[in-house]
Amino acid sequence: MTHSYDYILVGGGTAACVAAWKLTTERKARVLLIERGPRRPSLMRQFLLSMPAAWMMAIRGNPVVEMHTPVPQHHLNGRSPAVGQANVLGGGTSVNAMVYTRGQREDYDYWDAFLGNNALWSSDTLLKHFKALEDNQRFNNKWHGILGPQPVSDTGTTCQITEDFIRAVQGLGIPYTPDFNGEAQYGVGTMQYTTFKKRRYNGVEAFLNPADATGRLTIVTDATVAKLNFNGTICEGVTYLHQGKEHKVSCNHEVILAAGSFNTPKIMMLSGLGPADHLKKIGITPKLDVQGVGQNLQDHHEVPVVAATNGHYGYFHEDRGMRAIKNGLQYLLFKTGPVTSNGVEACAYFDPEGGSRPTIKMYCVPSVYLDSDNADVPDQDGVTLNACLLRPKSRGTVQLRSTNPYDRPVIDNHYLSEPDDLRLEILGLRYARDILASQPLSSRIKHELIPGKDVTSDSDLATHCRRTVKTNWHPVGTCRMGPDNDPLAVVDTQLRVNGIKGLRILDASVMPFIPSGNTNAPTMAVASRGVDFIPA
């Protein structure tokens, strides 16, 4: 039987955008893309999201981001740091902080070794995909591309705190690095972003609009996929809910899951693919006992040191009153000024134990920045240094809450459950203090706000970590790929779901280990690589 579509893409985020573009433009395939969120935010939200400085203001309290509150975390004394996931066409590319980092070459070579040393996922293999997708506005060399659909640009501006941070870190012996996505990640400098001409350039613009222009892409938004449909062990289509009605749709070739590390395993389990005991407990008859579905959850997390400054060197209250009006007009008229910054312009990659491979990413936030459940510091000028753990060892889970497809899954991140994660976070905090005490940044510092100068012992710093640790919103790994002998492998090395024909996963959930950097760029590369495995 011939159906209207060759492929069905479940999800409309980063991975789905890349896959839709490649399938329609390179393969000339007919694709149905189903996204649970709206096609676009309101006009005002869309306008704010396009401005680098306004992204956090735009998503706060807005349904374009779905907040997942995990179960109370045992190792955080019952705290539950919420994790946001995009709920709009374009996914994270439409709502994230726009940071473009790929991780380390060692990350992908480790994947390759884990998967059998077959070069399918090596750093050299993935570099081809990073370059093919990229239109870098500054670099054109062996590490970067300039002909891809996704623009990548420098930060629009740097404030005084950022410049002082970069020089202070160099004073501690860490070199200046102009390109964190080049030969080596180690160093300090400014980051690059998925922006173009000082505004966000999301996956809709970069990938879906060209795909839509082919006439071979159909996009359905505000639609929730309830389950996958099977003929024996062959996945033939999906059932989705849209405007109060149930729709069943089939395709000629493959169903491709790209709903993210929370919702991809949720859809799998709703369809009877997952740990059999858990499915039975929820009331679902298992179709296939796939133990790895919902396991292996990983996420970057960070802890802060916050200091007050003796003057206005960053972005404190730049979004209020007359300053906001002035900055907004400057941006609209000239595309310059504070609005061209996403608020985090620089970082340092290093190992506080002196190794050459970074284990910490130190963000420099030129303001006092804390999650709402830790907002116990004065409202004043300051700087926040966040020590982000690049390769946490703790592993969490995603499980079903019920058989209702509208219910959010149950998330348990297990933050800081591995002692080594806590040990490295404490070392990161101590290094953050060294940075604050290094010139020229030290001349700007008035005093430490949190954890406070009297918090010095490992025990007290561990308490601070548990009280303030927050997520980077980078969940991966919940449907990981693995070799044939891996009991938790959900997909094989070509991203085909084990035991099922006609079903493939292309999003961050397939990553066996979290990359050492923000996950948006690696997710693009994974999706691009995954499409290449699909038979022509």
Side-chain angles (χ1 to χ4, degrees), residues 153-169:
S153 306
D154 293 344
T155 180
T157 189
T158 55
C159 66
Q160 187 66 57
I161 285 288
T162 294
E163 295 172 2
D164 289 343
F165 168 82
I166 292 172
R167 291 189 290 165
V169 173

Side-chain angles (χ1 to χ4, degrees), residues 122 153 155 170 194 213 222 225 236 279 284 302 306 316 323 326 330-331 337 395 401 403 415 423 442 472 525:
S122 68
S153 306
T155 180
Q170 290 179 77
T194 50
D222 297 298
V225 171
E236 293 189 329
L279 297 183
I284 295 174
E302 63 190 25
V306 184
F316 175 66
R323 283 181 180 172
K326 170 185 173 293
Q330 182 179 356
Y331 176 79
R395 298 291 184 267
R401 191 176 302 275
T403 59
Y415 291 128
R423 182 184 67 82
S442 60
N472 272 206

Side-chain angles (χ1 to χ4, degrees), residues 65-68 82-86 262 471 473-475:
V65 170
E66 182 178 80
M67 298 304 295
H68 293 261
V83 184
Q85 292 291 272
F262 292 162
T471 167
W473 298 9
H474 295 165

Side-chain angles (χ1 to χ4, degrees), residues 502-528:
L503 182 61
R504 202 178 298 255
I505 303 176
L506 295 187
D507 59 30
S509 70
V510 305
M511 297 179 182
F513 307 100
I514 195 166
S516 304
N518 302 60
T519 51
N520 188 53
T523 300
M524 289 189 226
V526 164
S528 177

Side-chain angles (χ1 to χ4, degrees), residues 94-136:
S94 294
V95 300
N96 65 8
M98 295 155 280
V99 176
Y100 181 86
T101 58
R102 299 172 178 174
Q104 301 165 5
R105 290 177 60 81
E106 296 95 329
D107 295 331
Y108 307 112
D109 288 335
Y110 188 70
W111 288 14
D112 189 56
F114 172 72
L115 296 168
N117 289 309
N118 48 29
L120 294 178
W121 292 96
S122 68
S123 60
D124 286 340
T125 297
L126 282 174
L127 178 60
K128 298 173 185 176
H129 292 272
F130 282 120
K131 291 179 65 175
L133 296 171
E134 180 186 24
D135 178 17
N136 201 291

